Amino acid sequence: MMTPKATELFDLIPDQARHRRYLPALAVFGVEYVGYLVCVAGAVVLPGWGLKAASACLAALWLSGLYIIGHDAGHSTFVPGPAANRWIARFAFFPSFTPLAAWFRAHVLLHHNFLRVRGRDMVWMPWSLDEYRAAPRWRRAWYRFLRTPVGLAVYWTVGNWIPYLLFPPGAEMGSRRRQNHFDRLLVGGFAVALFGALYGLTVRAAEWPWADPAGPAGVFLFGLVLPYLVWAYLTAVVDLIHHTHPRAVWFANRREWDYFTANVRSTVHIVLPFGLNRIALNIFEHTAHHVDPRVPLFHLPAAQAGLAGAYPTDVLVEKFSPGYVLRLLRTCRLYDFERRQWLDYDGTPTAPPQRSARRGSLAQAAGASHQ
């Protein structure tokens, strides 16, 4: 069955949605960075462990905004000009300790170019039943653990940050290998500078009667580690709900891949409660971003509306809630790449197949969740 081509999808997005401006982009970038720095400062000088932890968690929210900006700039869509975007991306990625060159390989070259292709895309790629059964017991236990509410806390760090961003395979970095060394040095330098600045602040805060300055270990924990860990948990959840769904299709190989099924039918538009999508810098309008990464975050709602209006039954839309995340973790465990169907760990189907047993057209996903 023929599906719409990428150029046909691009035509659904207004040309003005690809327009980039330095303002308000730089203003948003500045606000996010100031908010982050104020919160990490509060995390090391506010009185009591409770206020310190709360401030560190708020820092993680500002960090999330910076990462979204870095993501946009890494696609060269945040402001006009490739050089400005590269440096904004570097600075925006510093608080999440993300080297730009490694991120570009993992996110743009692999995730976007091989979206949902088995063995190439790294974002919540499921195992097949055969892979699961053939794996050692400890690896099966680890796979299952990562797909639990507690396991989400380490998914990003163990599954993405360490193997793809911090220590990517040198041979696969190609011409970006030297650039990646430079970016890692910048990230390390930022971490050292941040620690030094926060520790200097605590020394000064010892003179303030209301303050309860943390020691070196507290600065490291509340100023650097805790904001990262909270952000990493949020990022694992966001990646899960963007790219996992009972109707979402994974491809056995690139030969089976098609642009429309991967980007439109299998990328989820999440609606946050209380109209929070804009506060999250529109990153949850994720279908539009995957269809055309040239659209800046400011214009993603318009692009998303164009796609949803043209393909209302194909675009996946879900309302976010903790219950929804738990349902995904229960439903989307293993994957049958032949029938394009989610399975439980014992092989029991947990969602309707998206392709009939005879290889061919996509099957109707009757009964699938579409709230």
Side-chain angles (χ1 to χ4, degrees):
M1 179 176 65
M2 296 296 293
T3 58
K5 297 179 180 179
T7 52
E8 297 176 61
L9 300 175
F10 296 160
D11 290 341
L12 297 172
I13 298 174
D15 287 338
Q16 58 267 30
R18 301 182 183 91
H19 183 60
R20 293 166 288 167
R21 294 184 298 165
Y22 282 105
L23 290 176
L26 293 180
V28 172
F29 180 48
V31 168
E32 296 283 346
Y33 234 119
V34 169
Y36 166 75
L37 292 174
V38 167
C39 286
V40 293
V44 300
V45 300
L46 286 175
W49 297 110
L51 285 179
K52 285 181 169 62
S55 192
C57 291
L58 287 175
L61 296 179
W62 291 107
L63 196 164
S64 298
L66 287 171
Y67 189 83
I68 294 168
I69 289 172
H71 165 271
D72 222 45
H75 280 286
S76 292
T77 58
F78 188 61
V79 295
N85 275 300
R86 281 196 299 272
W87 281 103
I88 289 173
R90 284 192 176 97
F91 278 95
F93 280 155
F94 282 165
S96 60
F97 313 123
T98 301
L100 175 60
W103 175 90
F104 187 87
R105 169 190 170 263
H107 184 81
V108 177
L109 300 184
L110 293 180
H111 177 55
H112 273 267
N113 289 342
F114 297 93
L115 180 64
R116 315 193 68 79
V117 177
R118 184 184 193 181
R120 301 305 303 273
D121 188 1
M122 78 296 297
V123 179
W124 285 104
M125 183 181 70
W127 283 2
S128 69
L129 181 61
D130 289 342
E131 288 174 307
Y132 179 76
R133 288 175 173 171
R137 182 174 297 179
W138 71 267
R139 288 199 64 200
R140 281 181 278 164
W142 182 248
Y143 179 92
R144 294 175 69 145
F145 169 71
L146 293 178
R147 286 152 178 80
T148 64
V150 177
L152 288 170
V154 297
Y155 175 84
W156 175 265
T157 300
V158 174
N160 286 275
W161 185 61
I162 292 174
Y164 287 98
L165 301 180
L166 198 60
F167 300 111
E172 295 186 19
M173 289 300 299
S175 60
R176 293 181 176 83
R177 189 171 185 176
R178 180 176 297 179
Q179 186 64 62
N180 190 51
H181 292 325
F182 174 68
D183 287 334
R184 284 196 297 190
L185 286 174
L186 289 179
V187 168
F190 171 84
V192 171
L194 180 63
F195 178 86
L198 292 177
Y199 183 68
L201 178 65
T202 63
V203 172
R204 185 178 183 87
E207 304 172 359
W208 303 341
W210 57 267
D212 179 18
V219 170
F220 182 70
L221 174 63
F222 289 105
L224 279 72
V225 175
L226 187 56
Y228 167 83
L229 291 179
V230 174
W231 167 81
Y233 191 94
L234 296 174
T235 299
V237 173
V238 170
D239 271 355
L240 175 75
I241 60 180
H242 277 165
H243 302 106
T244 304
H245 190 275
R247 288 169 53 192
V249 169
W250 277 87
F251 300 89
N253 51 63
R254 186 57 186 263
R255 293 188 303 275
E256 293 189 356
W257 185 90
D258 78 83
Y259 197 90
F260 184 80
T261 301
N263 291 281
V264 175
R265 285 183 172 147
S266 302
T267 303
V268 187
H269 171 204
I270 298 294
V271 179
L272 298 179
F274 313 116
L276 293 176
N277 280 51
R278 287 194 177 275
I279 294 179
L281 301 182
N282 300 318
I283 194 61
F284 291 95
E285 324 279 339
H286 211 58
T287 319
H289 167 67
H290 268 286
V291 167
D292 192 349
R294 297 171 299 173
V295 177
L297 58 86
F298 302 101
H299 303 311
L300 284 174
Q304 186 75 33
L307 293 169
Y311 302 103
T313 61
D314 291 296
V315 174
L316 298 170
V317 182
E318 295 287 354
K319 294 180 181 178
F320 175 81
S321 70
Y324 174 66
V325 176
L326 293 176
R327 288 196 298 273
L328 285 182
L329 292 173
R330 288 195 303 266
T331 303
C332 303
R333 291 175 165 173
L334 301 175
Y335 197 72
D336 182 338
F337 289 87
E338 177 68 23
R339 294 177 61 87
R340 295 182 176 175
Q341 182 176 34
W342 290 99
L343 310 173
D344 209 335
Y345 293 117
D346 61 0
T348 302
T350 56
Q354 300 301 303
R355 184 167 60 182
S356 61
R358 294 176 59 190
R359 298 172 68 89
S361 63
L362 291 173
Q364 179 69 24
S369 171
H370 190 64
Q371 302 172 3

